[in-house]
Amino acid sequence: MIDNGKIENSHPEDLLQRAYDVKSPEDAIDLYRDWAGSYDQHLEGGLRYVAPTVIAQMLSSAEPDHTVRVLDVGCGTGLVGVCLSKLGFSHLDGLDFSFEMLEEARRKDVYRELIQADLNESLDLIQSTYGAAISCGTFTHGHVDASVLGRIALLLEPGAIFACTIHQAVWDEAGFSRTLECLSPENLLEIQEIHERPYFDGSGPDGRFCILRRR
Ligand SMILES: C[S@@+](CC[C@H](N)C(=O)[O-])C[C@H]1O[C@@H](n2cnc3c(N)ncnc32)[C@H](O)[C@@H]1O
């Protein structure tokens, strides 16, 4: 555990590099435990993180009914929930495996339920519960692989939108391209739109911002 003062005074770029160096779920748990208290300050102030706004707007355009129940997958401190709430979405639940990140999300007061669960394991939630889902920044280095898509799809009602960002570095490497482009009947998600866009204001297009639809 690194002391909070040290983390707060770290360069945001160094913490982002630590996130990109994550090799295992254990690394991720340690990183977000240490980072939770200063994550928003580093991401929004230091790195000018625009991905939550962009993906929330994409969901808003693809799903005009803002009363649907939405699951924020890997909600972290709740930056996406805040954007969705401003856009008028009224029923948001958040899921993350980091207790400390969930505590920060709770303070935002935009989620009805906050669920502590590991996306790498089967999710003990009722199937076809959600009218939409969103995920920002979680499909990245060492966090989850593409098998997560099947677990999330099962939680969605048929026809529901799943708006997500997938880092370019894991698009092929963690199997996302293969899984999403597979046309077999077991693939429950079909691609509606994919755009290459930056996560950070002024950075290169390091993410694929996707609108998927549950078959
Ligand atoms: C880069 S943060 C993104 C948080 C938020 N969506 C945002 O855009 O600010 C990634 C989040 O994914 C969570 N995460 C990583 N691996 C996970 C897993 N296997 N199960 C659940 N949550 C996970 C982390 O705890 C962290 O909160």
Side-chain angles (χ1 to χ4, degrees), residues 16 19 22 24-25 28-29 31-33 35 39-40 43 49 51-52 55 72-81 95-99 101-102 111 115-121 123 134-145 148 165 199:
L16 184 63
V22 163
S24 67
I29 287 275
L31 168 69
Y32 292 108
R33 177 201 58 216
W35 203 2
Y39 178 91
D40 291 0
L43 267 283
Y49 185 42
I55 197 71
D72 182 0
V73 177
C75 63
T77 61
L79 296 178
V80 171
L95 181 151
D96 204 286
F97 70 174
S98 163
F99 171 81
M101 295 293 267
L102 285 169
Y111 297 100
I115 303 153
Q116 189 172 15
D118 185 347
L119 292 163
N120 290 315
E121 294 175 6
L123 297 169
I134 190 163
S135 185
C136 185
T138 297
F139 300 166
T140 186
H141 312 68
H143 286 42
V144 291
D145 64 34
V148 70
T165 70
Y199 286 92

Side-chain angles (χ1 to χ4, degrees), residues 145-201:
D145 64 34
S147 64
V148 70
L149 294 172
R151 290 190 280 282
I152 293 165
L154 289 174
L155 303 178
L156 297 174
E157 295 165 359
I161 297 290
F162 178 33
C164 64
T165 70
I166 301 173
H167 200 284
Q168 299 280 21
V170 301
W171 173 252
D172 287 326
E173 190 193 287
F176 286 97
S177 55
R178 212 172 37 252
T179 303
L180 288 173
E181 285 157 8
C182 160
L183 294 175
S184 80
E186 296 91 68
N187 183 4
L188 294 177
L189 292 170
E190 64 186 15
I191 298 172
Q192 301 261 294
E193 292 171 40
I194 297 191
H195 305 278
E196 299 195 9
R197 292 198 168 142
Y199 286 92
F200 306 99
D201 186 18

